[in-house]
Amino acid sequence: DGSLLSSQFRELQKRFHPDNFATGSERDRLMAVQKAAQINDAYQVLKNPISRAEYILAEQGVEIRGEQQTMQDPMFLMEQMELREELEEIADSTDPESALFDFDSKVSKMYKQHLASVEQELDDGLWAEAADRVRKLKFIAKLKNEIELVEDKLLG
């Protein structure tokens, strides 16, 4: 839950803010700075669904952060290639803004479906399946970034 995460983050931030230890010993001040950095790092990992899933998988011994493993699902890869081709053709369409909006909606729906699936797989302890799903989510997230770049070109 994003709002719970944010409120917990703010609470921990207040409790361990270095200003609260300004009159403490050098060791206490250093510990407060380190704890504040840990809290900030943890929040950055946990607020992003993909990095959160990667963290959960790593805690279960499945390390996929920064891996170079190739995707083993040819149907998914073909779909991704077709989506990228579709995105490239949007700029030349008769109504590129509308086409981009529709395309973005389609990709966002796909992202949400995969995200719901990975959440269920993580809840069910299906680590290998969740890892594959996270790999797919990374492809879709990259496509969403590419959509934003096209949008910037069209509207910029």
Side-chain angles (χ1 to χ4, degrees):
D1 179 15
S3 60
L4 176 61
L5 178 64
S6 293
S7 65
Q8 291 285 15
F9 169 66
R10 285 190 300 277
E11 174 59 36
L12 288 170
Q13 231 181 1
K14 283 184 211 168
R15 189 178 334 157
F16 292 101
H17 195 281
D19 288 350
N20 295 338
F21 299 88
T23 60
S25 69
E26 172 113 13
R27 181 181 178 280
D28 287 347
R29 289 193 310 266
L30 180 59
M31 294 290 281
V33 168
Q34 289 174 337
K35 185 58 90 175
Q38 286 176 333
I39 291 165
N40 287 331
D41 291 345
Y43 180 68
Q44 293 305 314
V45 167
L46 296 176
K47 78 176 186 176
N48 177 297
I50 293 174
S51 62
R52 180 173 56 245
E54 288 176 326
Y55 174 80
I56 292 168
L57 288 167
E59 289 293 301
Q60 299 301 320
V62 181
E63 183 60 62
I64 63 170
R65 291 177 283 197
E67 74 175 2
Q68 298 300 316
Q69 180 174 332
T70 58
M71 176 68 60
Q72 299 299 317
D73 184 341
M75 295 297 288
F76 178 80
L77 291 173
M78 183 62 74
E79 178 187 42
Q80 291 300 301
M81 287 175 40
E82 290 168 358
L83 287 169
R84 280 171 172 73
E85 288 172 9
E86 185 179 341
L87 179 60
E88 286 177 13
E89 293 167 1
I90 285 177
D92 298 328
S93 69
T94 56
D95 185 1
E97 287 87 5
S98 179
L100 186 62
F101 178 81
D102 293 343
F103 184 77
D104 185 38
S105 295
K106 177 169 67 172
V107 173
S108 292
K109 180 179 177 187
M110 181 186 308
Y111 181 84
K112 289 174 187 168
Q113 289 170 338
H114 280 275
L115 190 57
S117 294
V118 80
E119 287 170 357
Q120 189 62 55
E121 290 161 352
L122 291 170
D123 287 346
D124 294 344
L126 302 171
W127 311 124
E129 292 85 345
D132 285 340
R133 185 80 56 183
V134 169
R135 291 180 187 106
K136 291 176 182 178
L137 272 169
K138 287 179 174 182
F139 271 90
I140 299 167
K142 186 175 180 188
L143 180 58
K144 286 176 70 57
N145 287 336
E146 291 169 15
I147 291 169
E148 289 179 22
L149 295 173
V150 170
E151 183 178 27
D152 289 345
K153 283 183 186 174
L154 287 175
L155 304 176

